[in-house]
Amino acid sequence: VLSPVREGSSNQTIETMRLHQVMTTEAAAASFDLTRQRELQPSAVLQRIYFINLEKNTKRRAMMEQCLGNQPESRAVPFFRVNATVGKTDNPHACAKNKQQLERCRGLSGLAMTEVDIIQNYNTSGLTLVLEDDFCVDMEKQTLDQLVQTTVDLVPEDWDIIRWDCWGHIPSSFDFVVRNSTHKVFRTKPERPCKDKVCWFCGGTHAMLWRHTSLPKLHAVWSQRPFTDVDCVLSSSKRAADLKSYCVNIGIGSLLRINGEESDIPKLGD
């Protein structure tokens, strides 16, 4: 049973759909039944947008509401704010060994817990666009429906998660689906052994497309402890070995800097 929780907004009333009963991580993982989680909508129809935002970051929230509010009225996809979980600050050992600095651990653990919270407690039927609150999609080029259709057409039909405009060095072991002057589409599964000097890959989670039937895989990856970066783990974790994760670099928007509301998680150019 879904219970709407209304949140006030300067631009519109945002109605966040949460499950009536909050499940624990273990119960949620056990409850996923793929035989009952079939897509009810056409494969490229976007049902909703969630943007992740800490309560204290009011400038970021206003920017995201303005950005997502620029959709054509006749083709608008509903968007909702997700109140980000504040990360771990009492135990630096909650995070991986090389990521235990206080601000870094707080940022990456909070984001991981928020992703799991969305999977467990929010409406994620069909296709869901999940954004971080410092990325604005350029909707002057095409509508979100057109963007999703174009993107899905560029990857194999059995994809699990798609990330747009991934940053960083791309290991030579990655399999490219498309590679030309305007499009770079690749699966983020490195082969071993890696011959590059830099074999790790993160890429960011600023703009992601989720499909409902693949959420059990994402839940398993992002529920791991100790905490680590949610983007890096998609191409490094043993639990992600069978995850069909793709980056579609086609320039869909801009990563923005908000003075006074900087991220705790390092990003490209930081």
Side-chain angles (χ1 to χ4, degrees):
V1 179
L2 292 171
S3 175
V5 178
R6 295 182 180 274
E7 298 184 74
S9 166
S10 58
N11 295 328
Q12 70 178 82
T13 299
I14 301 178
E15 191 174 82
T16 304
M17 303 300 291
R18 300 182 64 90
L19 290 177
H20 185 66
Q21 179 180 5
V22 178
M23 299 181 290
T24 63
T25 300
E26 293 78 13
S31 71
F32 283 116
D33 182 353
L34 292 180
T35 64
R36 293 180 296 170
Q37 294 186 5
R38 304 300 183 188
E39 300 285 1
L40 300 179
Q41 301 291 335
S43 61
V45 175
L46 184 63
Q47 272 72 53
R48 69 198 61 79
I49 306 164
Y50 291 134
F51 72 90
I52 298 170
N53 170 252
L54 282 167
E55 189 172 2
K56 67 182 181 68
N57 288 340
T58 56
K59 293 179 182 178
R60 288 172 175 251
R61 175 174 181 168
M63 181 199 74
M64 293 301 294
E65 290 174 351
Q66 180 179 3
C67 175
L68 294 171
N70 286 334
Q71 301 178 68
E73 188 173 346
S74 60
R75 304 286 297 276
V77 178
F79 64 90
F80 310 93
R81 173 184 174 269
V82 172
N83 191 30
T85 303
V86 177
K88 297 290 185 181
T89 57
D90 56 341
N91 179 18
H93 298 291
C95 294
K97 289 183 179 180
N98 59 337
K99 301 176 182 181
Q100 293 180 352
Q101 304 94 328
L102 180 61
E103 292 80 7
R104 180 84 180 273
C105 183
R106 179 177 59 209
L108 66 87
S109 62
L111 185 54
M113 289 188 287
T114 303
E115 307 288 12
V116 171
D117 180 42
I118 297 173
I119 292 172
Q120 292 180 192
N121 301 319
Y122 286 71
N123 183 2
T124 52
S125 59
L127 299 184
T128 302
L129 171 60
V130 181
L131 300 171
E132 293 176 5
D133 64 357
D134 57 1
F135 188 84
C136 184
V137 179
D138 182 0
M139 285 173 280
E140 292 186 0
K141 297 179 181 178
Q142 56 187 340
T143 67
L144 287 173
D145 283 338
Q146 292 169 333
L147 170 62
V148 169
Q149 183 65 65
T150 298
T151 299
V152 169
D153 287 345
L154 288 171
V155 299
E157 292 182 359
D158 61 348
W159 64 272
D160 290 315
I161 180 173
I162 296 172
R163 291 182 285 161
W164 280 285
D165 299 347
C166 299
W167 49 263
H169 170 77
I170 304 172
S172 61
S173 56
F174 281 6
D175 292 328
F176 276 85
V177 180
V178 180
R179 189 173 191 175
N180 55 43
S181 60
T182 59
H183 293 54
K184 288 183 174 63
V185 181
F186 53 93
R187 184 177 176 185
T188 63
K189 181 186 177 183
E191 298 297 331
R192 303 300 185 199
C194 175
K195 298 180 181 179
D196 289 3
K197 291 182 179 179
V198 179
C199 293
W200 57 269
F201 180 79
C202 295
T205 52
H206 39 272
M208 299 181 288
L209 186 65
W210 293 1
R211 79 188 317 168
H212 187 60
T213 51
S214 298
L215 292 184
K217 294 182 181 180
L218 292 176
H219 185 277
V221 171
W222 286 331
S223 296
Q224 295 181 81
R225 301 293 184 272
F227 291 103
T228 189
D229 292 288
V230 294
D231 55 348
C232 305
V233 76
L234 293 175
S235 59
S236 62
S237 168
K238 291 182 179 179
R239 294 190 187 184
D242 296 325
L243 186 70
K244 296 177 177 65
S245 168
Y246 290 89
C247 282
V248 175
N249 291 3
I250 55 176
I252 71 163
S254 303
L255 189 64
L256 305 177
R257 297 288 182 265
I258 313 299
N259 292 333
E261 294 184 358
E262 289 77 14
S263 174
D264 290 330
I265 304 175
K267 298 190 177 184
L268 184 65
D270 288 349

mmCIF file of all heavy atoms in Angstrom, residues 153-179:
data_model
loop_
_atom_site.group_PDB
_atom_site.id
_atom_site.type_symbol
_atom_site.label_atom_id
_atom_site.label_comp_id
_atom_site.label_asym_id
_atom_site.label_seq_id
_atom_site.Cartn_x
_atom_site.Cartn_y
_atom_site.Cartn_z
ATOM 1 N N ASP A 153 18.101 2.518 -26.812
ATOM 2 C CA ASP A 153 18.407 1.969 -28.132
ATOM 3 C C ASP A 153 19.910 1.756 -28.346
ATOM 4 O O ASP A 153 20.311 1.020 -29.245
ATOM 5 C CB ASP A 153 17.876 2.897 -29.229
ATOM 6 C CG ASP A 153 16.360 2.843 -29.357
ATOM 7 O OD1 ASP A 153 15.754 1.898 -28.817
ATOM 8 O OD2 ASP A 153 15.792 3.759 -29.983
ATOM 9 N N LEU A 154 20.746 2.393 -27.513
ATOM 10 C CA LEU A 154 22.196 2.306 -27.686
ATOM 11 C C LEU A 154 22.831 1.149 -26.919
ATOM 12 O O LEU A 154 24.008 0.848 -27.120
ATOM 13 C CB LEU A 154 22.850 3.618 -27.225
ATOM 14 C CG LEU A 154 22.657 4.831 -28.124
ATOM 15 C CD1 LEU A 154 23.160 6.097 -27.436
ATOM 16 C CD2 LEU A 154 23.383 4.640 -29.459
ATOM 17 N N VAL A 155 22.075 0.511 -26.026
ATOM 18 C CA VAL A 155 22.638 -0.566 -25.197
ATOM 19 C C VAL A 155 21.896 -1.875 -25.458
ATOM 20 O O VAL A 155 20.768 -1.869 -25.972
ATOM 21 C CB VAL A 155 22.564 -0.202 -23.698
ATOM 22 C CG1 VAL A 155 23.358 1.054 -23.406
ATOM 23 C CG2 VAL A 155 21.115 -0.036 -23.241
ATOM 24 N N PRO A 156 22.480 -3.005 -25.090
ATOM 25 C CA PRO A 156 21.776 -4.280 -25.232
ATOM 26 C C PRO A 156 20.488 -4.310 -24.416
ATOM 27 O O PRO A 156 20.359 -3.608 -23.404
ATOM 28 C CB PRO A 156 22.794 -5.291 -24.685
ATOM 29 C CG PRO A 156 24.121 -4.642 -24.898
ATOM 30 C CD PRO A 156 23.890 -3.180 -24.670
ATOM 31 N N GLU A 157 19.547 -5.133 -24.840
ATOM 32 C CA GLU A 157 18.230 -5.156 -24.215
ATOM 33 C C GLU A 157 18.261 -5.634 -22.766
ATOM 34 O O GLU A 157 17.348 -5.317 -21.999
ATOM 35 C CB GLU A 157 17.287 -6.059 -25.021
ATOM 36 C CG GLU A 157 16.945 -5.513 -26.400
ATOM 37 C CD GLU A 157 15.975 -6.409 -27.144
ATOM 38 O OE1 GLU A 157 15.587 -7.460 -26.581
ATOM 39 O OE2 GLU A 157 15.599 -6.069 -28.276
ATOM 40 N N ASP A 158 19.290 -6.370 -22.376
ATOM 41 C CA ASP A 158 19.321 -6.940 -21.027
ATOM 42 C C ASP A 158 20.096 -6.074 -20.025
ATOM 43 O O ASP A 158 20.583 -6.569 -19.009
ATOM 44 C CB ASP A 158 19.916 -8.351 -21.054
ATOM 45 C CG ASP A 158 21.350 -8.374 -21.570
ATOM 46 O OD1 ASP A 158 21.807 -7.348 -22.114
ATOM 47 O OD2 ASP A 158 22.002 -9.423 -21.425
ATOM 48 N N TRP A 159 20.200 -4.768 -20.281
ATOM 49 C CA TRP A 159 20.908 -3.874 -19.364
ATOM 50 C C TRP A 159 20.250 -3.860 -17.978
ATOM 51 O O TRP A 159 19.046 -4.043 -17.839
ATOM 52 C CB TRP A 159 20.946 -2.456 -19.938
ATOM 53 C CG TRP A 159 19.598 -1.801 -20.100
ATOM 54 C CD1 TRP A 159 18.772 -1.875 -21.189
ATOM 55 C CD2 TRP A 159 18.916 -0.987 -19.142
ATOM 56 N NE1 TRP A 159 17.618 -1.162 -20.973
ATOM 57 C CE2 TRP A 159 17.674 -0.597 -19.722
ATOM 58 C CE3 TRP A 159 19.222 -0.541 -17.867
ATOM 59 C CZ2 TRP A 159 16.753 0.208 -19.063
ATOM 60 C CZ3 TRP A 159 18.308 0.270 -17.178
ATOM 61 C CH2 TRP A 159 17.087 0.639 -17.798
ATOM 62 N N ASP A 160 21.072 -3.617 -16.950
ATOM 63 C CA ASP A 160 20.582 -3.509 -15.575
ATOM 64 C C ASP A 160 20.550 -2.066 -15.079
ATOM 65 O O ASP A 160 19.618 -1.650 -14.390
ATOM 66 C CB ASP A 160 21.456 -4.335 -14.620
ATOM 67 C CG ASP A 160 21.285 -5.824 -14.826
ATOM 68 O OD1 ASP A 160 20.139 -6.286 -14.951
ATOM 69 O OD2 ASP A 160 22.311 -6.543 -14.870
ATOM 70 N N ILE A 161 21.578 -1.313 -15.388
ATOM 71 C CA ILE A 161 21.655 0.095 -14.982
ATOM 72 C C ILE A 161 22.430 0.857 -16.044
ATOM 73 O O ILE A 161 23.384 0.337 -16.627
ATOM 74 C CB ILE A 161 22.339 0.257 -13.600
ATOM 75 C CG1 ILE A 161 22.414 1.745 -13.199
ATOM 76 C CG2 ILE A 161 23.709 -0.402 -13.563
ATOM 77 C CD1 ILE A 161 22.925 1.978 -11.786
ATOM 78 N N ILE A 162 21.968 2.085 -16.305
ATOM 79 C CA ILE A 162 22.643 2.953 -17.268
ATOM 80 C C ILE A 162 23.036 4.236 -16.552
ATOM 81 O O ILE A 162 22.218 4.843 -15.848
ATOM 82 C CB ILE A 162 21.734 3.281 -18.464
ATOM 83 C CG1 ILE A 162 21.394 2.005 -19.247
ATOM 84 C CG2 ILE A 162 22.414 4.296 -19.384
ATOM 85 C CD1 ILE A 162 20.346 2.223 -20.328
ATOM 86 N N ARG A 163 24.288 4.639 -16.735
ATOM 87 C CA ARG A 163 24.750 5.923 -16.213
ATOM 88 C C ARG A 163 25.120 6.814 -17.391
ATOM 89 O O ARG A 163 25.738 6.366 -18.352
ATOM 90 C CB ARG A 163 25.959 5.737 -15.291
ATOM 91 C CG ARG A 163 25.611 5.054 -13.986
ATOM 92 C CD ARG A 163 26.833 4.927 -13.094
ATOM 93 N NE ARG A 163 27.747 3.887 -13.552
ATOM 94 C CZ ARG A 163 29.024 3.808 -13.185
ATOM 95 N NH1 ARG A 163 29.549 4.744 -12.419
ATOM 96 N NH2 ARG A 163 29.781 2.815 -13.612
ATOM 97 N N TRP A 164 24.729 8.073 -17.297
ATOM 98 C CA TRP A 164 25.030 9.018 -18.371
ATOM 99 C C TRP A 164 26.291 9.810 -18.070
ATOM 100 O O TRP A 164 26.565 10.184 -16.913
ATOM 101 C CB TRP A 164 23.872 9.993 -18.562
ATOM 102 C CG TRP A 164 22.720 9.482 -19.356
ATOM 103 C CD1 TRP A 164 22.660 9.313 -20.714
ATOM 104 C CD2 TRP A 164 21.441 9.066 -18.851
ATOM 105 N NE1 TRP A 164 21.430 8.830 -21.082
ATOM 106 C CE2 TRP A 164 20.658 8.674 -19.964
ATOM 107 C CE3 TRP A 164 20.877 9.011 -17.578
ATOM 108 C CZ2 TRP A 164 19.348 8.226 -19.840
ATOM 109 C CZ3 TRP A 164 19.579 8.556 -17.440
ATOM 110 C CH2 TRP A 164 18.824 8.169 -18.560
ATOM 111 N N ASP A 165 27.034 10.084 -19.133
ATOM 112 C CA ASP A 165 28.172 11.002 -19.098
ATOM 113 C C ASP A 165 29.149 10.669 -17.969
ATOM 114 O O ASP A 165 29.500 11.523 -17.140
ATOM 115 C CB ASP A 165 27.678 12.453 -18.985
ATOM 116 C CG ASP A 165 26.828 12.854 -20.178
ATOM 117 O OD1 ASP A 165 26.823 12.123 -21.187
ATOM 118 O OD2 ASP A 165 26.142 13.893 -20.104
ATOM 119 N N CYS A 166 29.587 9.427 -17.954
ATOM 120 C CA CYS A 166 30.559 8.984 -16.947
ATOM 121 C C CYS A 166 31.894 9.689 -17.172
ATOM 122 O O CYS A 166 32.314 9.901 -18.310
ATOM 123 C CB CYS A 166 30.764 7.474 -17.033
ATOM 124 S SG CYS A 166 29.271 6.503 -16.722
ATOM 125 N N TRP A 167 32.541 10.050 -16.081
ATOM 126 C CA TRP A 167 33.817 10.739 -16.193
ATOM 127 C C TRP A 167 34.967 9.793 -15.847
ATOM 128 O O TRP A 167 34.772 8.716 -15.313
ATOM 129 C CB TRP A 167 33.852 11.953 -15.263
ATOM 130 C CG TRP A 167 33.418 11.692 -13.834
ATOM 131 C CD1 TRP A 167 32.189 11.915 -13.294
ATOM 132 C CD2 TRP A 167 34.214 11.147 -12.775
ATOM 133 N NE1 TRP A 167 32.166 11.553 -11.968
ATOM 134 C CE2 TRP A 167 33.402 11.076 -11.623
ATOM 135 C CE3 TRP A 167 35.534 10.712 -12.687
ATOM 136 C CZ2 TRP A 167 33.858 10.588 -10.400
ATOM 137 C CZ3 TRP A 167 36.009 10.213 -11.472
ATOM 138 C CH2 TRP A 167 35.178 10.170 -10.352
ATOM 139 N N GLY A 168 36.182 10.219 -16.168
ATOM 140 C CA GLY A 168 37.375 9.478 -15.791
ATOM 141 C C GLY A 168 37.941 8.615 -16.902
ATOM 142 O O GLY A 168 37.340 8.425 -17.961
ATOM 143 N N HIS A 169 39.137 8.104 -16.648
ATOM 144 C CA HIS A 169 39.839 7.232 -17.591
ATOM 145 C C HIS A 169 39.052 5.949 -17.799
ATOM 146 O O HIS A 169 38.596 5.320 -16.844
ATOM 147 C CB HIS A 169 41.229 6.907 -17.053
ATOM 148 C CG HIS A 169 41.942 5.833 -17.806
ATOM 149 N ND1 HIS A 169 42.539 6.063 -19.036
ATOM 150 C CD2 HIS A 169 42.142 4.510 -17.533
ATOM 151 C CE1 HIS A 169 43.080 4.943 -19.465
ATOM 152 N NE2 HIS A 169 42.860 3.976 -18.581
ATOM 153 N N ILE A 170 38.904 5.542 -19.059
ATOM 154 C CA ILE A 170 38.188 4.310 -19.390
ATOM 155 C C ILE A 170 39.198 3.206 -19.631
ATOM 156 O O ILE A 170 39.992 3.283 -20.580
ATOM 157 C CB ILE A 170 37.307 4.501 -20.644
ATOM 158 C CG1 ILE A 170 36.334 5.661 -20.447
ATOM 159 C CG2 ILE A 170 36.546 3.219 -20.952
ATOM 160 C CD1 ILE A 170 35.570 6.047 -21.708
ATOM 161 N N PRO A 171 39.228 2.185 -18.790
ATOM 162 C CA PRO A 171 40.197 1.091 -18.992
ATOM 163 C C PRO A 171 40.029 0.438 -20.362
ATOM 164 O O PRO A 171 38.915 0.305 -20.881
ATOM 165 C CB PRO A 171 39.842 0.107 -17.866
ATOM 166 C CG PRO A 171 39.198 0.956 -16.810
ATOM 167 C CD PRO A 171 38.433 2.008 -17.560
ATOM 168 N N SER A 172 41.134 0.034 -20.952
ATOM 169 C CA SER A 172 41.092 -0.572 -22.286
ATOM 170 C C SER A 172 40.368 -1.911 -22.282
ATOM 171 O O SER A 172 39.956 -2.392 -23.339
ATOM 172 C CB SER A 172 42.522 -0.763 -22.812
ATOM 173 O OG SER A 172 43.255 -1.627 -21.961
ATOM 174 N N SER A 173 40.204 -2.502 -21.106
ATOM 175 C CA SER A 173 39.539 -3.803 -21.014
ATOM 176 C C SER A 173 38.017 -3.702 -21.101
ATOM 177 O O SER A 173 37.343 -4.719 -21.244
ATOM 178 C CB SER A 173 39.923 -4.494 -19.704
ATOM 179 O OG SER A 173 39.614 -3.678 -18.591
ATOM 180 N N PHE A 174 37.477 -2.480 -21.018
ATOM 181 C CA PHE A 174 36.026 -2.321 -21.117
ATOM 182 C C PHE A 174 35.564 -2.607 -22.545
ATOM 183 O O PHE A 174 36.233 -2.241 -23.510
ATOM 184 C CB PHE A 174 35.607 -0.906 -20.731
ATOM 185 C CG PHE A 174 35.550 -0.653 -19.243
ATOM 186 C CD1 PHE A 174 35.969 -1.603 -18.337
ATOM 187 C CD2 PHE A 174 35.055 0.535 -18.757
ATOM 188 C CE1 PHE A 174 35.912 -1.380 -16.975
ATOM 189 C CE2 PHE A 174 34.990 0.777 -17.394
ATOM 190 C CZ PHE A 174 35.427 -0.185 -16.498
ATOM 191 N N ASP A 175 34.410 -3.223 -22.647
ATOM 192 C CA ASP A 175 33.832 -3.518 -23.954
ATOM 193 C C ASP A 175 32.995 -2.338 -24.433
ATOM 194 O O ASP A 175 32.024 -1.945 -23.784
ATOM 195 C CB ASP A 175 32.940 -4.768 -23.869
ATOM 196 C CG ASP A 175 33.747 -6.028 -23.619
ATOM 197 O OD1 ASP A 175 34.893 -6.089 -24.091
ATOM 198 O OD2 ASP A 175 33.224 -6.940 -22.950
ATOM 199 N N PHE A 176 33.384 -1.785 -25.588
ATOM 200 C CA PHE A 176 32.627 -0.679 -26.168
ATOM 201 C C PHE A 176 31.496 -1.223 -27.026
ATOM 202 O O PHE A 176 31.677 -2.128 -27.828
ATOM 203 C CB PHE A 176 33.530 0.221 -27.002
ATOM 204 C CG PHE A 176 34.252 1.255 -26.204
ATOM 205 C CD1 PHE A 176 35.455 0.954 -25.576
ATOM 206 C CD2 PHE A 176 33.724 2.528 -26.053
ATOM 207 C CE1 PHE A 176 36.129 1.895 -24.834
ATOM 208 C CE2 PHE A 176 34.383 3.490 -25.298
ATOM 209 C CZ PHE A 176 35.598 3.179 -24.686
ATOM 210 N N VAL A 177 30.313 -0.635 -26.842
ATOM 211 C CA VAL A 177 29.168 -0.947 -27.691
ATOM 212 C C VAL A 177 29.141 0.025 -28.866
ATOM 213 O O VAL A 177 28.883 -0.357 -30.007
ATOM 214 C CB VAL A 177 27.851 -0.859 -26.890
ATOM 215 C CG1 VAL A 177 26.653 -1.172 -27.774
ATOM 216 C CG2 VAL A 177 27.890 -1.799 -25.682
ATOM 217 N N VAL A 178 29.403 1.300 -28.566
ATOM 218 C CA VAL A 178 29.483 2.351 -29.583
ATOM 219 C C VAL A 178 30.688 3.219 -29.244
ATOM 220 O O VAL A 178 30.909 3.566 -28.080
ATOM 221 C CB VAL A 178 28.213 3.235 -29.614
ATOM 222 C CG1 VAL A 178 28.352 4.317 -30.689
ATOM 223 C CG2 VAL A 178 26.966 2.402 -29.850
ATOM 224 N N ARG A 179 31.462 3.584 -30.257
ATOM 225 C CA ARG A 179 32.607 4.468 -30.020
ATOM 226 C C ARG A 179 32.853 5.286 -31.269
ATOM 227 O O ARG A 179 33.390 4.791 -32.260
ATOM 228 C CB ARG A 179 33.852 3.665 -29.656
ATOM 229 C CG ARG A 179 35.030 4.516 -29.184
ATOM 230 C CD ARG A 179 36.163 3.629 -28.681
ATOM 231 N NE ARG A 179 37.186 4.391 -27.999
ATOM 232 C CZ ARG A 179 38.227 3.854 -27.379
ATOM 233 N NH1 ARG A 179 38.381 2.531 -27.368
ATOM 234 N NH2 ARG A 179 39.121 4.604 -26.769
#
